[in-house]
Amino acid sequence: MPGGPDRVVFGHSILSRYNPLVQRAWYYGTIAGFLAVGPEAVLGQMASRSDFDITGAQRDAWIEQARILRGALHGRSGAIYLEFTIPRIGSRVDALLLIGPVLFVVEFKVGETRFTRQDLDQVVDYALDLHHFHEGSHQICIAPVLVSTQARGGPVLPDERPVDGLFAPSRTNSHGLAAALDRVLEIVSGPEIAVPKWEESGYKPTPTIIEATLALYRGHSVADITRKEAGVENLSATSNTVAEIIASARSRSEKAVCFVTGVPGAGKTLVGLDAATRHMNARDELYSVFLSGNGPLVNVLQEALTRDRVERARRAGLRARKGEARSEVKAFIQNVHHFRDDCIRDPKPPVEHVAIFDEAQRAWTLKETVDFMRRKKGMPDFHQSEPEFLLSCMDRHPDWAVVICLVGGGQEINRGEAGISEWFAALERSFPAWWIYASDRLTDSEYEGGRAVERLRAIPRVAFKSDLHLATSIRSFRSEKVSRFVKEVLDLERENARETLRAVTERYPVVLTRDLEVARRWLRAKARGTERYGIVVSSQAERLKPYALDVKSPVDPVHWFLSDKDDVRSSYYLEDVATEFHIQGLELDWTCVVWDADLRHSASGWEHWSFRGNRWERMRSEERRSYQKNAYRVLLTRARQGMIIVVPRGDAEDPTRRPQFYDPTFAYLKGAGLSVL
């Protein structure tokens, strides 16, 4: 028999024991090998690899699936993979079939009589994951198939081959699976998929922050759930560097602050979550807490984790109370203001030795913090900025402590947000014994240009580590250059933006329109499965009310980001809009950015306006203008797969919406290379 210690015969196929893709399946092998053994043997192989106790219902479902597959696959050749795990989604595909030139993604609903939208979305999501993130599946045809075993009537099958190779889902009962396979194979011609090459291809997922949080909380690592190429290798390197800094501080009984910086969507939050999930046990000396002042982000992640814990317990046949699950989750992800208040009430060191501050650039200045403490907490003698107080809380530890600051450049969007400079000032002023770790690549204008690095060089106990800066956006897996394009647009570098856009639009559509209904139709046509889409606007966009977009109507971020398509509160309904405050740190697959007259292009550059009473007023404060520009930076970098920008036409009869408020902005964006719908 060929092979050696790194080879295994499984399902009558010789496969690499350590092939990471194949190891995702609980059963894998040739179709001939699958047909040569009985359903009980298949069940035994799957049960031996299962990570939970097999219930009677699950056992019966697997046997029924094996029986249906045996009938549909009779006389065929290829490869089969059962219970194939997709960590980005957190679920397992019932069956993958490589037959001829097609990859079939098959999901069974044993005993089901209907084809529900949720079930169709589920099988499409599995197919999309392979289509987007598995290299061997990028250029092949993928056909999702939903089998509701007791459904009546004949199968619903595709008519033609799709342009991108990803078919609409076929629907069939237990008797029609063979016909569904035959129909797709009639449509698709071409060479057979080379199974060994397909298996050896890289799986390079790019999860949303919600998906990543769920996967990390379940025990996966950053390396498990992210791509491995180019800038994404930097992500793993950054996570490892942070882990090394924590370990070093502990072993040397030192205190250290570590600045993780990067462009929008580069994965700063992912690095912080990875550090936090490595040490979630309160009895662990390296016990860590993830803190954020971003209320919507905290609420969304807490709710997503809570729902996931309850659902996973239910699937395992266990009872789980939502309140108990939420309490556990809240110990892991906390609002930074709750952490601050606990430290005010209790002068002892916090239980955590490692504190991760997400969006640390949004921590308050001395003036804002002092004013808040006086008005809200009754502390007239308080005299520290928020960074200084948070550092002082961790400084209470007598031995060691680490503060990890996740800092986004150009992401300050509200009054009193201090940026990275206040952290430097607090360290210089009050914590000279702390070690400082940062990247020497902080040269962009969003990080004070080269001044940030020069300021750090003047501080004792500074160590520069280039891995602490994430220069490549991974939010958009279709184009890492989106954040550069947005920066060039906002910096009025129109020719550079045109050049960058040429590379962006090869895989990431960015289009322009003046019609909101055109934009809504575009979003619905682009999204497949549960790909999420929604409308985002500036918090200053107060003259979009004639289009039924009201920034003053509060949106619930939990429902907007997590609720299903049939919930009117969800982003899918395209009614409620999210502002920069709701969406910062989060993302959608497809976005519609509606551009109001608060930020207007003119011959002299950007003009900044706010709506007061019944008219627009110019923003005079440089700080407010900076926040407003950053708000649009946030809005324009939220989409993973593509976006449409709407610049309204205005109304000559309405003095608050005159066309001249909007036309120059539309002309500028069109001149930057955006195609018009």
Side-chain angles (χ1 to χ4, degrees), residues 378-455:
M379 301 177 66
D381 298 327
F382 195 90
H383 59 277
Q384 293 176 303
S385 67
E386 192 168 33
E388 187 169 1
F389 179 70
L390 295 173
L391 287 166
S392 73
C393 297
M394 299 302 291
D395 196 51
R396 297 172 188 175
H397 284 287
D399 45 4
W400 70 280
V402 176
V403 172
I404 301 168
C405 293
L406 312 176
V407 185
Q411 299 283 290
E412 304 88 2
I413 58 176
N414 203 5
R415 186 188 69 183
E417 294 178 357
I420 198 172
S421 60
E422 182 54 39
W423 289 92
F424 296 165
L427 288 160
E428 289 175 301
R429 207 165 41 234
S430 305
F431 305 100
W434 279 56
W435 276 93
I436 301 171
Y437 296 89
S439 171
D440 57 359
R441 298 165 62 190
L442 303 180
T443 56
D444 283 351
S445 59
E446 290 82 6
Y447 292 104
E448 305 177 0
R451 296 192 307 277
V453 173
E454 294 308 311
R455 184 172 183 179

Side-chain angles (χ1 to χ4, degrees), residues 289-292 334-346 349-352 354-357 389-391 393-394 396-397:
V289 62
F290 183 88
L291 302 168
S292 177
Q334 297 181 28
N335 190 301
V336 68
H337 299 139
H338 297 165
F339 179 84
R340 175 201 63 201
D341 293 347
D342 286 343
C343 289
I344 290 173
R345 286 190 295 267
D346 187 348
V351 64
E352 304 89 359
V354 180
I356 300 108
F357 293 107
F389 179 70
L390 295 173
L391 287 166
C393 297
M394 299 302 291
R396 297 172 188 175
H397 284 287

